[in-house]
Amino acid sequence: MANIRKAGVSEPIGPGEALERRQRRRRTLILSLLMIAGGIIGYALVLAGDVGPGFHQGTLSAWAAITLALGWLVSVIGGSIWYKRHIDEIDQAAQIWGIAAAGSVVLILYPAWYLLWRGQLVGEPNAHVIFATLYVVMIGAYLSKKFR
């Protein structure tokens, strides 16, 4: 049978496509809110800390430390649970892959760095570098699994 529809006109979206759009928007909203929360926590950390030598080497007041730690824990734990409720098994598998890759990198590289430091060949292991490496590898592994 010949297609008699006009060129450039598509069929109305079905209920499955509408559901997928809503879920995609919800996931985007959740991730956006979590990114904003991370930015607020990072900005508050800069504002609340005393200026010290180097990256985040100053001190925080007790109330600022507690508030920022609670904000971090609530956003990471609560956000993870909230996000997990709105993803499919393919996205979840990509996330697990990213977490496993990041954990493996840290578990492999940190002991080598520590031993080299003990041998006075490199500088002392830096928690900021380890944390940043963990996140960069986790995001990179997730994106490579998700979009290949």
Side-chain angles (χ1 to χ4, degrees):
M1 178 172 263
N3 185 356
I4 57 173
R5 291 184 294 146
K6 294 180 186 177
V9 177
S10 63
E11 297 178 23
I13 63 170
E17 292 168 319
L19 177 64
E20 174 60 29
R21 282 185 180 178
R22 283 193 305 271
Q23 288 175 339
R24 189 175 333 121
R25 279 192 219 115
R26 194 174 298 125
R27 286 191 307 263
T28 302
L29 173 67
I30 293 168
L31 288 177
S32 298
L33 290 174
L34 291 174
M35 286 182 209
I36 290 168
I40 290 170
I41 291 169
Y43 186 68
L45 178 63
V46 171
L47 291 179
D50 295 335
V51 177
F55 183 69
H56 294 297
Q57 297 295 321
T59 60
L60 290 174
S61 65
W63 71 268
I66 291 168
T67 303
L68 292 172
L70 284 175
W72 168 258
L73 292 173
V74 167
S75 65
V76 169
I77 295 169
S80 296
I81 292 168
W82 187 26
Y83 187 70
K84 187 177 182 312
R85 290 182 180 172
H86 299 285
I87 61 172
D88 59 13
E89 63 278 355
I90 296 169
D91 198 30
Q92 185 176 7
Q95 287 182 3
I96 291 170
W97 173 258
I99 292 167
S104 297
V105 166
V106 170
L107 286 172
I108 291 167
L109 294 181
Y110 175 75
W113 189 357
Y114 177 79
L115 292 171
L116 292 172
W117 168 63
R118 295 298 301 222
Q120 299 178 356
L121 299 170
V122 297
E124 182 177 5
N126 183 322
H128 294 106
V129 172
I130 294 167
F131 186 74
T133 302
L134 177 85
Y135 264 81
V136 167
V137 171
M138 182 171 55
I139 292 168
Y142 166 76
L143 292 175
S144 71
K145 188 75 165 176
K146 174 85 174 163
F147 295 111
R148 64 177 170 131

